[in-house]
C-alpha cells in the first residue's frame, strides 16, 4: 500500500470514529437529561410554573420532555408528559413564563443525524474504493513487493521428470541464454512455457529452477490474486507485473514471470461461465504476451492442473513458445524424488537401502505426496521415541495416506478370525496369480476397513481378459474364503463388491471378453454379460481357494498371531506349499 493510500485510509478511519463518538456523546446527553436527579412529577411541575417569576423559560420537545430554567440559569427541573396529549399549554395560560416548543424530530433530529452519518460513511467508502482502482496509464505500487531475488532452487533439486521433459527444459534454457547463436537457424527466442499436469508434480519448483538457471529476477503470483470485485483491477495488475518485470530486466539478468493456477483468469470465454472482469484480465494478459511492448528479456511461465479448461486464444501457437506436460513420476522418477527429499530427514541405513522397494510400492504418488509421506513417517518415528526413520515408519505413513487413521484393534476373537480369513483369501489369490505383488496384509483396522491387503501396482498395466478375471477372483476372494470356512459371507464384502462392479463395468464397456472382441448395446445383454463375469469370478476364486486351502489356513493363522504380514512372508508361504 502506498503512502497516499495509507493516509486516505487513516482519514477514513478517523472520520468514521468521530461520527460514532459524536452519536455516542449525543445519546449519552439525552439519556442524562431523561434520568437527571432534578426530574419531578407533572403535578409538581405545574406548581413550579404557577409560582415561576417573570423570565423563567419552559421548553417542551416533540417527545414530551419539558424543562424549567430560571432566569438566572441556576434552577433546573425536568418532567415528562404524554407528547400526544400535553397539559403544558393549560399550565402556562395565566403564568409569567416564556414558552418554547422544539421540534427535534425535524431537520436536526436523531433520525436525520443517523441518516447523515450513514450517507457520509457511504461517500467516504466509495471514494476509498475509487482510489484503489487503477486509473488509465497509472501503475499501482502496492504490489511492488512481488519482486524477489533469484531463487536458490536448481534443476538438480527437481526430480521425477522423464528424459524427454528434462531435455526440452534444458533446450528452452539454452535457447533463451544463447539466442544469438540460434538465430542463424531461424530459431526465435523462447517467450515462455505452459506447465500443465496433475497437482503436486512440481510445476512451481520447475519455474523456480528455470529462473535460477537463467539467473533471472523471479516474479511469482497466483492467478486468483488478479481477480477483484472492482472492474479494471485485474487488468491493471497484469500491466503492473509486466511493466515492473520489463523495467528491471537486462541481458545479464532477465525477468521471469510465473503465474500459478492460470486457469483462474484464462478459462474459455463465452457460455454460461462468462465473467466480464476475468475476460478483461485475460485480454490484457494476451496483449502483454503478444509483445505490444518489447518482452526481449522477459520469460513467462504459467502453470495449471486444468489444461482443457484454458481458452484457445491463450494456448494458440506462437503466444507461448512451449507446452510441457508434467506428469506423475515413474518408478525411477519416484526414486529420484525419494533421494532428494531424504536430505531433510534422518533415515536409518537399512531404510535408505530399501528406498528402491518403496519407490515400487508408491505408484501414482506425486512429488508432494512423497514429501508428505516422509513428514508422516518422521512424526510416527518421533511418537515411537526413535532417533531415525525406519521402513516400518514409512509403511505406516503410506497406510495412513491411503486408508486414514488406525482404529482400535479387533478384540472380538470371532470377528478377528473372520477378518483374518477374509484377508487371507485376498492375499492367497494375489500371491498365486500375480507373484511378488503384495506389499503387506493386515487385520489392524484403518479408516473404514477392518483389514486390507496392499498390492504393489504395475507401472504399466495392459491386462488381458485372463488377467482381469484373476483380478476379479482376487477381489471376491474375501467373501469366497468366508463362505468356505464359515458357511456364509458377511457384510464385510461390501467394499469388494463395489470394486468388482467397477472392474466388470470396464470389461463390458471396452469389450475385453474371453472369445470375442465385441461391444454390447442392449441393456438385457449387458446385464447378462455382467452377471456372467461375476459368477465366473466367484467360481474361479472358489477353485483357487479349495485347491490351496492349506495355504489359506497358514496365512490366516499367521495374521491372527502377528496381525500384519509383509509381502515376502506371504509369497514364501505360497512357494513352500
Amino acid at each position: 500500500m502506498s503512502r497516499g493510500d495509507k493516509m486516505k485510509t487513516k482519514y477514513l478511519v478517523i472520520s468514521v470514529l468521530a461520527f460514532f463518538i459524536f452519536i455516542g456523546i449525543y445519546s449519552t446527553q439525552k439519556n442524562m437529561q431523561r434520568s437527571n436527579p432534578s426530574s419531578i412529577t407533572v403535578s409538581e411541575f405545574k406548581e413550579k410554573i404557577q409560582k415561576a417569576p417573570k423570565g423563567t423559560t419552559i421548553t417542551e420537545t416533540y417527545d414530551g420532555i419539558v424543562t424549567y430554567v430560571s432566569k438566572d440559569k441556576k434552577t433546573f427541573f425536568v418532567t415528562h408528559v404524554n407528547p400526544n396529549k400535553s397539559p403544558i399549554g393549560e399550565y402556562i395560560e395565566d403564568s409569567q413564563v416564556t414558552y418554547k416548543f422544539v421540534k427535534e424530530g425535524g431537520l436536526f433530529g436523531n433520525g436525520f443525524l443517523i441518516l447523515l452519518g450513514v450517507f457520509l460513511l457511504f461517500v467516504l467508502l466509495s471514494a476509498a474504493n475509487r482510489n484503489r482502482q487503477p486509473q488509465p496509464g497509472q501503475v499501482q505500487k502496492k504490489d511492488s513487493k512481488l519482486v524477489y531475488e533469484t531463487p536458490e532452487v536448481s534443476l538438480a533439486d527437481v526430480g521425477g521428470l522423464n528424459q524427454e521433459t528434462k531435455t526440452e527444459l534444458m533446450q528452452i534454457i539454452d535457447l533463451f541464454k544463447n539466442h544469438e547463436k540460434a538465430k542463424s537457424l531461424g530459431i526465435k527466442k523462447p517467450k515462455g512455457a505452459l506447465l500443465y499436469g496433475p497437482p503436486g508434480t512440481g510445476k512451481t519448483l520447475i519455474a523456480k529452477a528455470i529462473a535460477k538457471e537463467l539467473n533471472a529476477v523471479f516474479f511469482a503470483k497466483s492467478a486468483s490474486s488478479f481477480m477483484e470485485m472492482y472492474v479494471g483491477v485485474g487488468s491493471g495488475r497484469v500491466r503492473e507485473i509486466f511493466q515492473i518485470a520489463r523495467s528491471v530486466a537486462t541481458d545479464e539478468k532477465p525477468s521471469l514471470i510465473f503465474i500459478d493456477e492460470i486457469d483462474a483468469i484464462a478459462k474459455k470465454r463465452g457460455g454460461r461461465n462468462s465473467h466480464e472482469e476475468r475476460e478483461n484480465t485475460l485480454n490484457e494478459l494476451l496483449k502483454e504476451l503478444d509483445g505490444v511492448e518489447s518482452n526481449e528479456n522477459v520469460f513467462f511461465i504459467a502453470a495449471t492442473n486444468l489444461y482443457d479448461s484454458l481458452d484457445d486464444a491463450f494456448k494458440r501457437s506462437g503466444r507461448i513458445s512451449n507446452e510441457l506436460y508434467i506428469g506423475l513420476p515413474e518408478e525411477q522418477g519416484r526414486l529420484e524424488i525419494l533421494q532428494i527429499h531424504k536430505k531433510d530427514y534422518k533415515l536409518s541405513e537399512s531404510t535408505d537401502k530399501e528406498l528402491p522397494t518403496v519407490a515400487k510400492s508408491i505408484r501414482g504418488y506425486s512429488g508432494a505426496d512423497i514429501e508428505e509421506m516422509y513428514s508422516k513417517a518422521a512424526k510416527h518415528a518421533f511418537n515411537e521415541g526413535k532417533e531415525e526413520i525406519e521402513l516400518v515408519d514409512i509403511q505406516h505413513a503410506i497406510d495412513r495416506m491411503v486408508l486414514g487413521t488406525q482404529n482400535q484393534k479387533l478384540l472380538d476373537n470371532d470377528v478377528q478370525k473372520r477378518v483374518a480369513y477374509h484377508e487371507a483369501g485376498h492375499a492367497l489369490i494375489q500371491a498365486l496369480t500375480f507373484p511378488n505383488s503384495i506389499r503387506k496384509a493386515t487385520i489392524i483396522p484403518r479408516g473404514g476397513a477392518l483389514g486390507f491387503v496392499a498390492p504393489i501396482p504395475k507401472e504399466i498395466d495392459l491386462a488381458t481378459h485372463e488377467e482381469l478375471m484373476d483380478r476379479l477372483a482376487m477381489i471376491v476372494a474375501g467373501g469366497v474364503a468366508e463362505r468356505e470356512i464359515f458357511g456364509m459371507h458377511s457384510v464385510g464384502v461390501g467394499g469388494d463388491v463395489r470394486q468388482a462392479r467397477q472392474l466388470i463395468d470396464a470389461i463390458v464397456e471396452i469389450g475385453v471378453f474371453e472369445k470375442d472382441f465385441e461391444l454390447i448395446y442392449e441393456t438385457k445383454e449387458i446385464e447378462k454379460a455382467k452377471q456372467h463375469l461375476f459368477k465366473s469370478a466367484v467360481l474361479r476364486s472358489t477353485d483357487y481357494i479349495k485347491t490351496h486351502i492349506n495355504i489359506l489356513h497358514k496365512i490366516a493363522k499367521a495374521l491372527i498371531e502377528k496381525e500384519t504380514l509383509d509381502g515376502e512372508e506371504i509369497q514364501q508361504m505360497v512357494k513352500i506349499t
Side-chain angles (χ1 to χ4, degrees):
M1 183 181 288
S2 67
R3 184 178 178 183
D5 287 338
K6 289 180 180 178
M7 292 298 293
K8 290 168 185 173
T9 303
K10 180 179 178 181
Y11 292 143
L12 173 62
V13 172
I14 292 173
S15 301
V16 172
L17 288 175
F19 167 70
F20 283 109
I21 290 172
F22 170 75
I23 292 295
I25 293 173
Y26 182 82
S27 299
T28 302
Q29 289 179 339
K30 295 297 293 181
N31 290 333
M32 288 177 64
Q33 287 181 7
R34 294 176 184 273
S35 58
N36 194 286
S38 298
S39 294
I40 58 177
T41 65
V42 175
S43 57
E44 290 174 328
F45 200 86
K46 178 181 178 182
E47 293 180 5
K48 296 292 183 183
I49 292 175
Q50 292 173 346
K51 297 177 180 179
K54 188 176 181 179
T56 301
T57 303
I58 303 297
T59 304
E60 183 178 2
T61 66
Y62 77 101
D63 55 353
I65 300 175
V66 188
T67 57
Y68 173 107
V69 181
S70 62
K71 184 178 180 179
D72 58 6
K73 310 294 184 184
K74 292 182 179 181
T75 306
F76 178 78
F77 298 106
V78 177
T79 193
H80 300 273
V81 298
N82 184 346
N84 297 321
K85 194 176 180 181
S86 174
I88 300 301
E90 298 177 5
Y91 298 166
I92 63 174
E93 283 183 359
D94 298 325
S95 67
Q96 302 180 57
V97 301
T98 301
Y99 176 77
K100 294 179 181 179
F101 184 80
V102 179
K103 296 181 179 180
E104 289 191 340
L107 183 62
F108 296 102
N110 290 344
F112 176 78
L113 287 174
I114 293 173
L115 289 174
L116 178 62
V118 171
F119 174 75
L120 290 174
L121 183 60
F122 175 77
V123 171
L124 289 168
L125 288 173
S126 299
N129 288 335
R130 284 196 300 273
N131 289 330
R132 289 194 189 106
Q133 295 188 36
Q135 301 301 319
Q138 176 186 2
V139 178
Q140 292 174 293
K141 297 300 181 183
K142 66 178 181 180
D143 276 345
S144 59
K145 290 184 180 179
L146 55 81
V147 181
Y148 295 96
E149 297 297 327
T150 302
E152 296 300 322
V153 177
S154 67
L155 283 176
D157 300 313
V158 181
L161 300 177
N162 60 46
Q163 190 56 46
E164 184 178 355
T165 304
K166 287 180 182 178
T167 301
E168 194 160 350
L169 280 174
M170 293 306 300
Q171 184 185 70
I172 291 169
I173 293 167
D174 190 38
L175 288 174
F176 191 89
K177 293 168 72 174
N178 304 300
H179 61 281
E180 292 296 332
K181 187 188 297 184
K183 271 186 178 179
S184 61
L185 294 174
I187 300 173
K188 296 181 179 179
K189 189 174 184 178
K191 295 181 179 179
L194 172 61
L195 309 179
Y196 66 97
T201 50
K203 295 182 282 292
T204 301
L205 198 66
I206 292 170
K208 289 181 178 180
I210 293 175
K212 172 70 173 177
E213 297 296 330
L214 295 177
N215 190 34
V217 181
F218 188 64
F219 297 76
K221 285 186 76 73
S222 171
S224 60
S225 66
F226 291 102
M227 297 299 295
E228 290 282 356
M229 65 179 290
Y230 307 113
V231 176
V233 173
S235 55
R237 288 177 177 173
V238 170
R239 280 194 300 274
E240 175 195 0
I241 192 172
F242 274 89
Q243 286 177 8
I244 297 175
R246 292 189 195 101
S247 68
V248 301
T250 63
D251 289 336
E252 294 75 23
K253 198 170 185 66
S255 294
L256 189 150
I257 299 173
F258 173 61
I259 300 181
D260 199 9
E261 308 296 346
I262 192 68
D263 47 276
I265 59 173
K267 282 184 180 176
K268 291 179 180 177
R269 290 171 287 187
R272 289 184 178 181
N273 297 323
S274 179
H275 189 289
E276 182 181 358
E277 174 61 4
R278 184 177 66 222
E279 292 179 4
N280 289 340
T281 304
L282 174 57
N283 289 334
E284 183 64 33
L285 177 61
L286 298 179
K287 187 191 81 171
E288 296 292 344
L289 291 175
D290 280 337
V292 176
E293 296 184 53
S294 175
N295 290 325
E296 178 66 22
N297 293 311
V298 177
F299 193 79
F300 175 79
I301 297 180
T304 181
N305 305 326
L306 303 170
Y307 178 83
D308 292 337
S309 71
L310 298 181
D311 192 82
D312 292 336
F314 178 75
K315 296 188 293 184
R316 77 158 171 80
S317 300
R319 181 156 275 149
I320 298 179
S321 308
N322 304 273
E323 292 185 2
L324 296 175
Y325 176 72
I326 312 300
L328 293 171
E330 299 174 354
E331 183 180 329
Q332 185 58 37
R334 295 193 296 272
L335 182 57
E336 287 179 10
I337 298 172
L338 284 167
Q339 297 289 359
I340 290 171
H341 283 301
K342 79 174 186 180
K343 299 173 185 177
D344 300 324
Y345 299 92
K346 189 176 182 182
L347 273 63
S348 66
E349 186 176 345
S350 60
T351 304
D352 196 3
K353 293 178 180 178
E354 291 292 334
L355 288 183
T357 303
V358 174
K360 288 181 180 180
S361 65
I362 55 173
R363 178 175 174 263
Y365 274 43
S366 66
D369 292 330
I370 292 173
E371 186 174 9
E372 179 67 11
M373 181 199 73
Y374 267 130
S375 175
K376 290 186 182 300
K379 290 175 184 177
H380 184 260
F382 177 79
N383 291 337
E384 295 291 318
K386 300 175 184 177
E387 295 184 357
E388 295 178 323
I389 298 174
E390 298 177 357
L391 184 59
V392 66
D393 301 311
I394 291 179
Q395 298 284 13
H396 177 275
I398 295 171
D399 294 340
R400 174 70 175 79
M401 293 176 69
V402 173
L403 296 165
T405 56
Q406 183 173 304
N407 300 327
Q408 185 177 356
K409 293 183 179 181
L410 299 174
L411 301 177
D412 187 298
N413 291 334
D414 292 337
V415 173
Q416 186 186 56
K417 185 177 180 181
R418 182 177 285 273
V419 173
Y421 273 99
H422 182 106
E423 301 306 332
H426 290 308
L428 171 62
I429 297 184
Q430 181 75 18
L432 287 170
T433 57
F434 303 99
N436 303 309
S437 64
I438 298 176
R439 181 170 63 84
K440 68 185 291 188
T442 183
I443 58 171
I444 298 175
R446 184 177 288 278
L450 295 178
F452 62 92
V453 174
I456 300 173
K458 289 183 179 180
E459 199 67 44
I460 299 176
D461 192 2
L462 293 175
T464 62
H465 174 80
E466 195 67 17
E467 289 173 327
L468 290 172
M469 290 307 298
D470 279 338
R471 192 176 299 173
L472 266 178
M474 185 278 294
I475 291 171
V476 300
V480 171
E482 286 188 49
R483 293 185 69 84
E484 191 65 29
I485 302 302
F486 304 104
M488 62 183 69
H489 61 277
S490 66
V491 294
V493 302
D496 299 339
V497 170
R498 286 190 291 273
Q499 194 176 352
R501 281 181 183 275
Q502 292 174 357
L503 183 53
I504 289 171
D505 289 344
I507 292 172
V508 173
E509 184 178 352
I510 60 178
V512 187
F513 296 106
E514 184 177 6
K515 295 181 180 179
D516 301 312
F517 178 21
E518 61 176 337
L519 297 179
I520 305 173
Y521 295 98
E522 293 183 10
T523 303
K524 288 184 179 180
E525 292 298 317
I526 290 174
E527 295 303 321
K528 184 178 177 181
K530 289 181 179 180
Q531 189 63 40
H532 173 72
L533 287 171
F534 184 78
K535 286 183 177 180
S536 298
V538 171
L539 289 173
R540 179 178 292 229
S541 184
T542 303
D543 185 52
Y544 276 129
I545 287 174
K546 284 185 175 181
T547 304
H548 303 89
I549 192 69
N550 291 334
I551 304 177
L552 181 74
H553 288 309
K554 284 185 178 181
I555 297 173
K557 183 179 179 182
L559 281 171
I560 292 171
E561 290 176 356
K562 297 182 178 181
E563 294 185 324
T564 299
L565 300 173
D566 62 39
E568 290 184 6
E569 289 179 277
I570 296 170
Q571 201 65 48
Q572 194 64 31
M573 292 181 193
V574 173
K575 285 181 181 179
I576 291 174
T577 305

